[in-house]
Amino acid sequence: MEVLEIGLILMGLMFLFLGAGLWVALSLFAVGVIGLEFFTSAQTGPIIATTAWSGLASWSLAPLPLFIWMGEILFRSRLSEDMFTGLAPWLNKLPGRLLHVNILGCGIFAAVSGSSAATAATIGRMSIPELRKQGYADRLILGTLAGSGTLGLLIPPSIILIVYGVSAELSIARLFIAGILPGAMLIILFMGFVMIWATLNKDKMPPAGPDMGFMEKVRASGRLIPVIVLIASVIGSIYGGIATPTEAAAFGVVGALILSAISGSLNRASFIDGLMGATRTSCMIGFILAGAAVLTVTMGFTGIPRELAAWIAEMNLSPYALLAALTVFFIVLGCFLDGISVVVLTTSVILPMVQAAGIDLLWFGIYVVLVVEMSQITPPVGFNLFVLQGLTGKNLFSIARASLPFFFLLLLAVLLITVFPEIATWLPQKMNG
């Protein structure tokens, strides 16, 4: 049977299993087993056992459960409430005023949670009632939340960057540092759009709140500042070479426990809830990675990635044409799957093509995350849209319309890092130096 036919059969089976509601991890395992058993002469049992184990027995994965646990601890420490009271006084004079709380709040919480949906849900639960009460338009409230919630995938410590780093065999530390400038660029783009909209629509903006003195603002931010210092310390220790990602993650967990204890939110129940939440999420991701490892080996035995890379090479596509095609592909796939599943499903097939085109894999990791972020606010299955629908009860497509400007801002960010790849590569290069 031709390699192309085998590839189409396996792809059809994958969509069949996923469409039937089978877990992503089980779908990956099933397609991998079927591919090995029916289309190769390899010994299926030993290969699955050794591959699944090697897919998980990686030191690069060690920071994953620790960063997830750090996020779970801070999630239960009243961080979201502190964020609104801490940020609002500083933003009162900016055009757009408290709408920027959504953007900066999501940026800070993104560095804690590493999850797009969790970021949008947590900040939205706190900010939507308050912003509505003060008279801000629903369209901008929901748009800023949907768009800024996607920062959870990019700003380090990002769970999806750890997964990509393991799949592509890249340094997690360098990927984390590569995500800093693109993440800051997105925050600036989002805040810039809100400022321009607010300037052009002054009649739709509520009046500014009472002004506060500098020390009053500092006191209002008192409980938020330690969290920001903790996050900066974790990332700074990695960038400065003081700590590995695993050591920095362990430091982050200890720091989060201390902050939680000081705030009075650490007790036996919250400790166990945070630990169990981190365990469930880590096991889910580990299961997916093991299934992806089996599918990757199956792909190698069937020769599909090699043939696909050769086919792409024969088409003489320029790197830009290849990226344009992959952008559409990732957006469509991301409409039906979460970001981690998109990465583990595609790396075994996509990365050989990308390498053949001479594209830097470190830069490509940031590109993939940005494109997957776009899919989080794209119907019919944009996860952030579902989160906000659950919070507000509004129609899914009205929320999608509100988030449309932010979709185009994400597209602009993809274009900017494509034209100026140094946005993603400059800091890792300095880090090496």
Side-chain angles (χ1 to χ4, degrees), residues 18-62:
L18 291 173
L22 195 63
W23 288 356
V24 171
L26 289 178
S27 300
L28 291 167
F29 269 112
V31 173
V33 170
I34 291 170
L36 285 172
E37 192 67 36
F38 292 100
F39 302 116
T40 73
S41 56
Q43 291 184 313
T44 305
I47 287 174
I48 290 173
T50 55
T51 303
W53 171 254
S54 63
L56 294 175
S58 168
W59 184 245
S60 299
L61 278 175

Side-chain angles (χ1 to χ4, degrees), residues 90-121:
W90 300 96
L91 301 169
N92 204 31
K93 294 297 183 184
L94 280 179
R97 290 189 279 279
L98 297 186
L99 289 170
H100 296 294
V101 173
N102 279 350
I103 299 169
L104 291 176
C106 285
I108 294 169
F109 196 83
V112 171
S113 74
S115 163
S116 175
T119 300

Side-chain angles (χ1 to χ4, degrees), residues 371-386:
V371 177
V372 170
E373 282 183 343
M374 293 163 65
S375 69
Q376 300 296 295
I377 54 175
T378 309
V381 196
F383 280 85
N384 284 15
L385 304 183
F386 280 131

Side-chain angles (χ1 to χ4, degrees), residues 70 73-74 230 249-262:
M70 171 183 152
I73 295 164
L74 290 175
L230 174 63
F251 168 76
V253 168
V254 173
L257 286 170
I258 292 171
L259 290 180
S260 184
I262 292 172

Side-chain angles (χ1 to χ4, degrees), residues 7-209:
L8 290 173
I9 291 171
L10 294 181
M11 185 171 66
L13 286 171
M14 177 62 71
F15 280 112
L16 176 65
F17 293 147
L18 291 173
L22 195 63
W23 288 356
V24 171
L26 289 178
S27 300
L28 291 167
F29 269 112
V31 173
V33 170
I34 291 170
L36 285 172
E37 192 67 36
F38 292 100
F39 302 116
T40 73
S41 56
Q43 291 184 313
T44 305
I47 287 174
I48 290 173
T50 55
T51 303
W53 171 254
S54 63
L56 294 175
S58 168
W59 184 245
S60 299
L61 278 175
L64 182 69
L66 290 171
F67 277 128
I68 294 172
W69 191 19
M70 171 183 152
E72 290 282 346
I73 295 164
L74 290 175
F75 175 69
R76 290 166 171 79
S77 67
R78 298 200 298 269
L79 171 61
S80 57
E81 292 89 339
D82 296 341
M83 201 171 292
F84 196 91
T85 55
L87 289 175
W90 300 96
L91 301 169
N92 204 31
K93 294 297 183 184
L94 280 179
R97 290 189 279 279
L98 297 186
L99 289 170
H100 296 294
V101 173
N102 279 350
I103 299 169
L104 291 176
C106 285
I108 294 169
F109 196 83
V112 171
S113 74
S115 163
S116 175
T119 300
T122 304
I123 302 302
R125 195 176 293 116
M126 172 268 303
S127 70
I128 289 174
E130 183 65 28
L131 292 176
R132 279 178 168 172
K133 187 171 70 178
Q134 297 203 26
Y136 288 88
D138 261 17
R139 182 177 177 184
L140 262 292
I141 296 173
L142 298 177
T144 51
L145 275 173
S148 305
T150 62
L151 293 168
L153 297 178
L154 181 61
I155 293 180
S158 162
I159 306 306
I160 196 171
L161 283 179
I162 296 177
V163 172
Y164 175 82
V166 171
S167 301
E169 298 180 358
L170 292 174
S171 162
I172 305 299
R174 293 187 73 225
L175 277 168
F176 276 3
I177 302 307
I180 292 175
L181 287 183
M185 176 184 69
L186 275 180
I187 291 174
I188 292 168
L189 287 174
F190 292 164
M191 291 183 70
F193 169 77
V194 169
M195 287 182 191
I196 292 169
W197 188 92
T199 303
L200 296 175
N201 298 273
K202 290 181 179 178
D203 57 315
K204 297 180 181 177
M205 295 297 298

Side-chain angles (χ1 to χ4, degrees), residues 40 92 105 146 255 273 303 309 321 331 340 353 372 401 413 430:
T40 73
N92 204 31
D273 286 347
I331 290 174
I340 291 172
M353 297 161 48
V372 170
R401 279 196 301 274
K430 290 294 180 182

